[in-house]
């Protein structure tokens, strides 16, 4: 007597489990197709046209091929500078967030009074909406705000500055805001990684005469490598889309000195109504982000995919 294949056993009304599963999953798949895939395809088609909302229907627009993409990559210096600026802000922010997050994670491996309260306090910035964080730091960096008052108290009246009237202080304000907001994410991920480091290699290194510094850099850090890379990938995907804090702090100014790629695309689409041109810029950023994530994950890709073998 043969057994009925798993998943195809008919129920009392004669329907198989697979048929019932399809009934419940197909509507969700259709909705996902309409909500996610269709807008993506429309935007992709739009990027190959010269359409603007002021020129009538999208399907009546002229097909220009790769003209928008070539214009962005060769002639649009504002786009190129926005990409470079975004990479600069992202790189500095990620390095600082990793450094501070790792320091806090190592500190919280020890036992001390008030540890649970401080743990919740250090995670609080991550819970605040980016637009709120941007507005808070916009108030802090005002010419008569708390930061300038602290600088005057410590270094004298000459230490105060107009943070949003020149490029370097404005970029520094954006970086400080971003680091304050997202260092807790690095802290949380790295603390979880440190708590999961196996004890046997550490004990073996101590028995062989390694000091605490050697144990940390030669045993603990190599073990944390996949966790560190995943943390960088998660934050890199978010910081490339940096928009809210910059919009609230500087609106991209002074001039365009703090204009990130997301803010530039926003201005193209909603201020200048160049939706097709903005769509092409967005797809270039998408491709660049995918390549970046692919390169960042390369050192640990095989290790992360071992579970599929």
């Amino acid at each position: 007597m043969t057994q009925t294949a798993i998943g195809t056993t008919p129920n009392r009304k004669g329907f198989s489990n697979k048929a019932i599963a399809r009934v419940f999953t197909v509507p969700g798949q259709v909705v996902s197709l309409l909500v996610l895939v269709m807008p993506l395809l429309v935007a992709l088609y739009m990027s190959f046209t010269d359409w603007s909302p002021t020129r009538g229907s999208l399907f009546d627009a002229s097909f220009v091929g790769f003209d928008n993409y070539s214009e962005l990559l060769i002639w649009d210096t504002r786009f190129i500078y926005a990409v470079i600026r975004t990479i600069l802000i992202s790189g500095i922010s990620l390095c600082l967030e990793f450094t501070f997050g790792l320091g806090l994670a190592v500190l919280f491996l020890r036992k001390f009074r008030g540890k649970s309260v401080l743990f919740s306090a250090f995670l609080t910035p991550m819970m605040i909406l980016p637009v709120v964080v941007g507005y808070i730091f916009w108030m802090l960096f005002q010419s008569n705000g708390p930061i300038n008052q602290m600088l005057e108290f410590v270094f004298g009246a000459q230490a105060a500055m107009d943070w949003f009237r020149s490029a370097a202080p404005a970029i520094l304000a954006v970086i400080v805001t971003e680091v304050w907001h997202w260092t807790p994410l690095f802290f949380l991920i790295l603390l979880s990684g440190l708590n999961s480091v196996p004890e046997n290699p550490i004990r073996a290194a101590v028995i062989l005469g390694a000091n605490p510094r050697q144990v940390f850099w030669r045993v603990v850090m190599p073990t944390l490598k996949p966790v560190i890379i995943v943390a960088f990938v998660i934050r890199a995907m978010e910081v490339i889309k940096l928009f809210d804090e910059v919009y609230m702090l500087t609106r991209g100014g002074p001039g365009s000195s703090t204009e990130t790629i997301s803010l530039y695309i926003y201005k193209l689409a909603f201020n200048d109504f160049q939706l097709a041109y903005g769509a092409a810029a967005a797809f270039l950023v998408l491709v660049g982000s995918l390549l970046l994530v692919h390169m960042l994950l390369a050192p640990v890709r095989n290790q992360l995919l071992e579970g599929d073998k």
Side-chain angles (χ1 to χ4, degrees), residues 78 85 164-167 170 246 250-260 263 267:
R78 187 175 170 186
R85 196 176 298 115
F164 304 127
R165 291 191 179 182
S166 56
V246 178
T250 66
R251 298 295 198 276
S256 60
S257 59
T258 59
E259 191 175 71
T260 61
L263 187 57
K267 290 179 178 179

Side-chain angles (χ1 to χ4, degrees), residues 210-224:
N211 58 44
R213 181 176 297 178
Q214 291 173 327
V215 170
F216 180 76
W217 290 109
R218 298 188 181 183
V219 178
V220 176
M221 289 301 287
T223 307
L224 277 181

Side-chain angles (χ1 to χ4, degrees), residues 230-288:
V230 169
F232 267 96
V233 168
I234 292 173
R235 278 299 299 132
M237 290 188 296
E238 291 298 319
V239 77
I240 288 174
K241 299 181 290 185
L242 179 62
F243 175 83
D244 306 70
E245 288 96 334
V246 178
Y247 185 81
M248 295 303 299
L249 281 168
T250 66
R251 298 295 198 276
S256 60
S257 59
T258 59
E259 191 175 71
T260 61
I261 187 61
S262 296
L263 187 57
Y264 176 57
I265 294 174
Y266 168 82
K267 290 179 178 179
L268 280 177
F270 298 104
N271 289 356
D272 303 335
F273 297 104
Q274 300 182 48
L275 266 67
Y277 194 64
F283 274 100
L284 286 177
V285 174
L286 174 62
V287 173

